Amino acid sequence: MDDREKIRNEVSIVDTISEYTKLKKTGSSWTGLCPFHNDKNPSFSVSEEKGLYNCFACGASGDIFKFIQEKQNLDFSEALHYLAEKHNIQLTGKREKSKKSYFEVLENLNDWLIKVFQDSDYGKPFRDYMEKRGFDHQWCKEYGIGAFPPQGQLLKSYILKKTNLEKKIFLEVGLISKAKNNWEPLAGRISFPIRDNIGRIRGFSARILNDKNKKIAKYKNSIESEIFKKSQLLYNWHNAKKSKGPLILCEGQSDVLRFEKEGIKGAVASMGTAFSEDHAYMVKRVKDKAVVVMDGDDKGLIAASKAIGRLLKAGIEPLVVIPPQKKDPDEWLKEEGKKGWDLATKQDALDFYLNQIIEEENNLKTEISKQRAIEKIKPLIKDMNESISKQQIIEKISQKFMLPKHLVTTEIETSASNDQKNKTATKNKFLVEEEEVFRYLFKNPTKWKTVSEIFKKYKVNEFQSQKIKNIYFVMNTIDSADPELIMKQFEGEEKSFIAECLISERETTLYDMEEIIKMIILKNLKEERRVVSMSAKKDRLKTIDKINKTINNISQEGVPGWNEL
């Protein structure tokens, strides 16, 4: 029996995948939410008997090795050894050397960079800099901090002596460049090794000593490659994931080191890119809680807001700490230490996030500003699974934005379905019909209640025109079609449209209105049917049949409830 068969026989694919997503026994298979995309309905199936998995929605499929390769970013040989070590299985074959040599080359280089930092004359400015910031030489050594020597020295003293394979790796990782005027893009910077989740160096981040020149990037990183992908790597994650407490998300490596220095475990930082969705889902596999601690300046607040949105979307419960007096976390904790951290106010992150939006929208003084606020929050929750956390978020939005809960829910659902809408040549036709409905309502505001109930019953909440959408949102919020009340909420084209409706001599009959509303309802029902037909829900055929019956009834008998007008 070869090593591949040995792993397949001794390791359960169901148990392995269950560490990443919850599986439920369904007949002879196991089903659950797909761990490879933002699954809303269980579309992921695992067969223990066949040793295979498959997602009917995104198409992800394979065996236990393919799964570990994808989730841990490993090649086949590494996945084989990962599973063997995890389950204490003795292998007979030898490990491939392709990427092993890559990691060994970078580990050896890091050892040399540490020696440059610790022992050479080139390293003195770096040692002095770190000492000034409160990090002694021995501590820096333990954390693998090194120094890229000045331009020309890395190439001359180290790289030229290496094999062609090693030189190729240095080019791939961006330590040397073919640019004639910039052979060593990281020269003269402090080096921080960037390790993956199992502790292997995949590249470097490098910081300048003097950051007064704003034209020079404070940090530079290894270039993007098959091995080094910033959106999938976090500085210090290999240590942070082992901590018992929440993840602590910082902006830079210096902040992370300060947390470690003060004995506060769990800190990480992204590199040159915002905290991504990939990062959030990587963290979610290990931790359910996080604390976002960013610089207290405007850029820090923006970065914090983005990170909060991605953490919430991944199902991680976040808190926020903003250092006092706009200090960065490194400076703050150097002064106040662990005691300052323990005493710091850790705000509810969703409250913080919503308060930022409220401030941006002038404290939501008008209904249209509330509409804009809803638009800003949509990306956060539109792809969330139907869960307690999603409902809690909608509840909080309702309270903070002073809007009815059902209206917030409707707006979010509208966004999700609108992403899939195909804008056809009939758009202009529907624009005219939409305007006709609202022109009628402004002249007959007492009819609002009936029209509103019909629209709610058939989930008519999406319109082609943003202008009409804004007006309908305000109508729903104040529960009225009174044109004077609504005009007070707008400036620009919405206000002009309402005024035009009031002075227009065009009259719309009830018969015309019924035909227009019937057409709008049928359009919405057909779109709903299309979306349902593409879903993976088990009861989709029953739902489609129900929608078809409703379409037939309205087509033949008209709109139920219309006679009340």
Side-chain angles (χ1 to χ4, degrees), residues 187 190 317 330 412:
I190 299 172
E317 181 184 334
D330 179 22
I412 300 303

Side-chain angles (χ1 to χ4, degrees), residues 76-224:
F76 173 77
S77 178
E78 291 165 341
L80 181 78
H81 281 74
Y82 172 88
L83 289 166
E85 289 168 16
K86 184 178 177 66
H87 296 279
N88 199 25
I89 297 170
Q90 201 70 30
L91 298 179
T92 58
K94 291 183 179 180
R95 188 173 181 177
E96 294 175 7
K97 295 182 179 179
S98 58
K99 287 184 183 174
K100 183 179 179 182
S101 62
Y102 185 106
F103 298 126
E104 285 178 347
V105 168
L106 294 184
E107 200 69 59
N108 291 336
L109 171 62
N110 191 55
D111 289 342
W112 185 79
L113 294 174
I114 292 171
K115 286 180 182 178
V116 172
F117 179 95
Q118 294 285 334
D119 305 326
S120 74
D121 291 339
Y122 296 128
K124 189 177 185 308
F126 300 95
R127 293 193 296 271
D128 292 344
Y129 174 84
M130 294 301 286
E131 188 80 46
K132 187 178 179 180
R133 298 192 71 161
F135 303 108
D136 61 57
H137 303 173
Q138 185 57 36
W139 192 89
C140 289
K141 186 175 183 179
E142 289 175 10
Y143 278 82
I145 296 167
F148 288 104
Q151 191 74 241
Q153 294 306 313
L154 177 66
L155 194 68
K156 180 180 177 181
S157 305
Y158 188 81
I159 293 177
L160 288 178
K161 301 173 185 177
K162 298 300 176 181
T163 65
N164 288 335
L165 173 62
E166 289 171 306
K167 291 173 186 174
K168 183 181 178 183
I169 291 172
F170 295 142
L171 272 170
E172 281 183 31
V173 83
L175 299 177
I176 55 174
S177 167
K178 292 183 179 180
K180 291 182 180 180
N181 61 343
N182 190 21
W183 287 101
E184 300 164 34
L186 305 184
R189 291 171 176 259
I190 299 172
S191 67
F192 301 94
I194 306 302
R195 299 181 181 273
D196 59 21
N197 60 329
I198 56 177
R200 300 169 306 182
I201 297 177
R202 287 183 171 263
F204 292 87
S205 187
R207 191 193 193 283
I208 56 174
L209 294 183
N210 188 341
D211 56 5
K212 290 181 180 179
N213 188 345
K214 301 301 180 184
K215 293 182 180 179
I216 300 175
K218 185 187 293 187
Y219 286 96
K220 280 189 177 181
N221 304 294
S222 294
I223 59 176
E224 287 285 304

Side-chain angles (χ1 to χ4, degrees), residues 248 258-266 321 329-346:
I248 300 172
R258 178 60 58 192
F259 275 95
E260 289 284 335
K261 180 73 172 173
E262 300 301 329
I264 306 164
K265 301 298 181 181
V321 172
D330 179 22
E331 180 187 7
W332 167 50
L333 290 177
K334 184 180 178 183
E335 293 175 3
E336 300 189 25
K338 189 174 186 299
K339 184 178 179 181
W341 174 255
D342 292 339
L343 294 175
T345 301
K346 296 171 179 66

Side-chain angles (χ1 to χ4, degrees), residues 507-524:
E507 292 293 334
T508 305
T509 66
L510 276 177
Y511 175 80
D512 292 334
M513 274 291 290
E514 181 179 14
E515 288 301 305
I516 292 170
I517 289 180
K518 181 166 75 171
M519 191 173 295
I520 291 173
I521 291 172
L522 290 174
K523 173 177 170 287
N524 273 264

Side-chain angles (χ1 to χ4, degrees), residues 312 315 317 350 381 384-396 405:
L312 286 167
E317 181 184 334
L350 182 58
I381 58 176
M384 273 186 167
N385 299 326
E386 289 297 331
S387 61
I388 295 174
S389 61
K390 181 174 180 178
Q391 292 308 311
Q392 288 172 339
I393 290 171
I394 289 174
E395 184 77 44
K396 187 159 283 190
K405 185 178 175 182

